[in-house]
Amino acid sequence: MPEFTYSDVSEHATKKDLYMVVHDKVYNASSFVDEHPGGEEVLLDVGGQDATEAFEDVGHSDEAREILDGLLVGDLKRQAGDPKPKANPPGVYTPNAASSGSGVGTYLIVALGVVAALGAYQYLQANKDK
């Protein structure tokens, strides 16, 4: 399988010639730009660079991953000074601060709602006899 450097990939960043890196694999997305369900802008924004984080953040389906496999043209040949991988390998989930924080916030809101409902219930029960 051919190997590409980041420099090689960066030379392919137009709608008609669009390469990107996902998990250290190089994909030619040129033929898929017009069919991409998220629109061409999404692909053009990451064209010629590492799209791993953007690809994984969306949570693509198995079908999307199969389409991606069909666009494979080579492997990324890492060199000194290249950026580090931007996301975990496929299938590895590590919650980021924003997602774990919003989960705690949701539980806090639910807990406060339960406390408020309990207080309202007790108030109504106490005033029911009056």
Side-chain angles (χ1 to χ4, degrees):
M1 176 143 312
E3 288 187 324
F4 297 86
T5 64
Y6 269 115
S7 178
D8 297 333
V9 173
S10 70
E11 294 173 6
H12 303 272
T14 66
K15 182 177 177 179
K16 294 188 184 299
D17 182 24
L18 190 66
Y19 282 26
M20 62 190 60
V21 175
V22 178
H23 297 296
D24 287 351
K25 300 287 184 188
V26 179
Y27 298 91
N28 181 348
S30 307
S31 64
F32 189 65
V33 173
D34 291 329
E35 287 84 35
H36 187 258
E40 68 182 43
E41 298 82 20
V42 176
L43 294 180
L44 293 172
D45 284 346
V46 295
Q49 55 190 306
D50 191 333
T52 304
E53 188 172 21
F55 183 82
E56 293 300 343
D57 282 351
V58 172
H60 283 90
S61 66
D62 290 340
E63 181 182 358
R65 291 176 189 280
E66 288 176 18
I67 292 170
L68 186 65
D69 287 344
L71 303 175
L72 181 66
V73 292
D75 292 315
L76 180 67
K77 180 180 180 182
R78 291 196 168 274
Q79 298 179 326
D82 283 350
K84 302 237 188 266
K86 293 186 178 183
N88 292 323
V92 176
Y93 174 72
T94 305
N96 61 26
S99 67
S100 62
S102 64
V104 171
T106 302
Y107 287 120
L108 182 60
I109 291 170
V110 170
L112 289 174
V114 168
V115 169
L118 181 59
Y121 175 78
Q122 289 177 340
Y123 175 79
L124 291 173
Q125 288 301 317
N127 289 326
K128 181 176 163 183
D129 297 332
K130 292 183 182 178

